[in-house]
Amino acid sequence: MDERTVREQLVAAAQFLKNHGLLFRGEHANLSQRLDEDRIVMTRGGSIGQLTVEDLAVVGLSGRVLSEGAMDPTMQEVIDMHTRIYRARKSVGAVIHAHSPHLTAFAVAGKALPLVYEPLLRFGLTEPVPVVPWAPRGSQESVDAIVAWVEGHSGIWAVLMANHGPLVFHEDILSAARLLATLDEAAELVWKAQALGGAQPLPEAAVDAVRARMALFGSRR
Ligand SMILES: [Zn+2]
């Protein structure tokens, strides 16, 4: 994929997040997508409500900014959080951090999101979305804890940073944006299901059954 297309897809994803209510009032978020084996394209600033193709920078997976023009200091802080996920899992093509309201409530409550909503299985999730203990955003302690989940659990495609919000990663930026939308939906449903007696677990065999149907019908989600 050429750089122009990657930039346009990131802008389209930012628009998708905004249109679907996945940015909270501050519109704070950071997004990136893989350009090739060694480079990603990443947002430069902290608010993505009005993102344009110019508001993006090329960053090496070593963490070095390769584009002209400075990154906003708040972004410099989170480069590691993105690049180390790509390095930890080669199949990751995009990373999104946004304060989507329902999922962020789970992060603030320190509650893992249980895997009880079938559409999530279509994204390859096989485990609850875990909570990573609080440490300052982008700090080595925080990023090490996130990467430990990414490396150790192939069925995990999102984590919740305690007292902060979600971090989602997937094969490309639109599938990552859709995954965030589906996770936020799941968080809202689990919360509402509390009033109805609580969410019920999926049957043990659900993951395998959904995989079999995906193979049969060729549709991922
Ligand atoms: Zn944040």
Side-chain angles (χ1 to χ4, degrees):
M1 212 187 299
D2 64 90
E3 188 181 328
R4 181 80 199 176
T5 309
V6 171
R7 283 175 183 260
E8 285 170 358
Q9 288 189 353
L10 283 160
V11 169
Q15 200 60 50
F16 175 94
L17 298 182
K18 190 179 164 97
N19 292 347
H20 290 78
L22 296 164
L23 301 181
F24 211 19
R25 294 180 193 112
E27 298 189 329
H28 164 87
N30 38 78
L31 275 59
S32 65
Q33 179 161 231
R34 200 185 272 279
L35 180 56
D36 54 34
E37 234 174 86
D38 312 308
R39 296 178 303 164
I40 58 173
V41 178
M42 187 172 177
T43 44
R44 272 182 200 275
S47 169
I48 63 154
Q50 310 293 330
L51 192 75
T52 72
V53 289
E54 312 302 325
D55 303 327
L56 298 161
V58 178
V59 177
L61 286 193
S62 62
R64 214 160 66 101
V65 180
L66 305 170
S67 293
E68 307 225 329
M71 295 290 268
D72 186 301
T74 60
M75 286 308 296
Q76 198 68 47
E77 223 182 300
V78 294
I79 285 177
D80 253 11
M81 187 172 86
H82 284 248
T83 54
R84 284 190 55 201
I85 292 176
Y86 292 96
R87 275 152 50 195
R89 191 180 293 177
K90 296 273 180 272
S91 58
V92 168
V95 176
I96 297 178
H97 163 61
H99 300 177
S100 66
H102 301 94
L103 209 43
T104 302
F106 275 74
V108 169
K111 298 258 188 242
L113 180 72
L115 189 60
V116 290
Y117 187 40
E118 181 183 342
L120 288 174
L121 303 185
R122 303 253 157 188
F123 290 89
L125 270 74
T126 60
E127 294 187 50
V129 180
V131 179
V132 175
W134 184 85
R137 172 181 76 170
S139 64
Q140 187 171 347
E141 190 184 348
S142 167
V143 177
D144 283 352
I146 293 165
V147 168
W149 279 104
V150 178
E151 281 178 339
H153 300 255
S154 60
I156 279 183
W157 293 93
V159 299
L160 299 173
M161 295 183 279
N163 307 91
H164 188 151
L167 185 68
V168 172
F169 31 95
H170 216 256
E171 57 199 23
D172 58 49
I173 193 66
L174 281 178
S175 66
R178 288 199 190 101
L179 173 57
L180 180 64
T182 309
L183 284 166
D184 202 68
E185 224 167 76
E188 184 173 1
L189 292 168
V190 168
W191 170 56
K192 287 182 171 166
Q194 284 294 328
L196 302 167
Q200 296 301 304
L202 279 161
E204 276 287 320
V207 170
D208 290 342
V210 168
R211 273 201 190 139
R213 289 188 66 81
M214 283 163 72
L216 194 62
F217 294 104
S219 130
R220 300 219 41 187
R221 60 194 79 96

